[in-house]
Amino acid sequence: MCHRIPERSFFFRGKQFPICARCTGIMCGYLVAIICLLFVISFTFIVSILLLIPMVIDGTGQLYKKWESTNSRRFITGLLAGVGIILFIVDVTMFNVHLGQNLYQLFSE
């Protein structure tokens, strides 16, 4: 799913990462979010949405040639988005679990 454009990728010891800087940030964000959740650090639904906004702004600006992002910016916005995606999934899942429990209680009486 990643374009792997060399100019938008990190290199280590002369070898290109298998994914671009933004995707690297997203994957690292997944790990950060999972670690936060393991230590019971939770965020609100709004925070998970807010964490996605920088990547959307940066990606849209780059798409419409308003600016050219640096790999550092791509990584940071990807990192924030990766955390936001995991938190969003957890929030939606927990909402559905609670909704299911409430519906079960409603109809089981």
Side-chain angles (χ1 to χ4, degrees):
M1 297 298 288
C2 180
H3 54 70
R4 295 179 285 208
I5 296 172
E7 299 82 39
R8 295 183 182 182
S9 299
F10 292 122
F11 283 79
F12 183 72
R13 295 187 180 174
K15 297 212 180 225
Q16 181 181 345
F17 274 35
I19 54 178
C20 71
R22 185 167 283 130
C23 291
T24 301
I26 291 170
M27 296 298 166
C28 290
Y30 291 167
L31 291 174
V32 168
I34 290 168
I35 290 168
C36 287
L37 291 170
L38 288 175
F39 289 102
V40 194
I41 300 170
S42 62
F43 300 92
T44 64
F45 179 75
I46 298 299
V47 170
S48 65
I49 298 299
L50 291 175
L51 288 171
L52 297 171
I53 292 173
M55 187 180 77
V56 171
I57 291 170
D58 185 49
T60 303
Q62 189 170 322
L63 176 69
Y64 289 109
K65 311 229 185 292
K66 299 293 183 188
W67 58 78
E68 183 68 28
S69 288
T70 63
N71 282 344
S72 298
R73 184 184 299 166
R74 289 183 189 107
F75 178 80
I76 291 168
T77 59
L79 181 74
L80 294 173
V83 172
I85 290 167
I86 294 296
L87 297 178
F88 178 82
I89 290 170
V90 169
D91 287 339
V92 169
T93 302
M94 294 310 295
F95 173 79
N96 286 322
V97 166
H98 293 300
L99 179 65
Q101 289 172 343
N102 290 340
L103 288 173
Y104 177 77
Q105 289 174 354
L106 180 68
F107 290 112
S108 65
E109 294 176 352

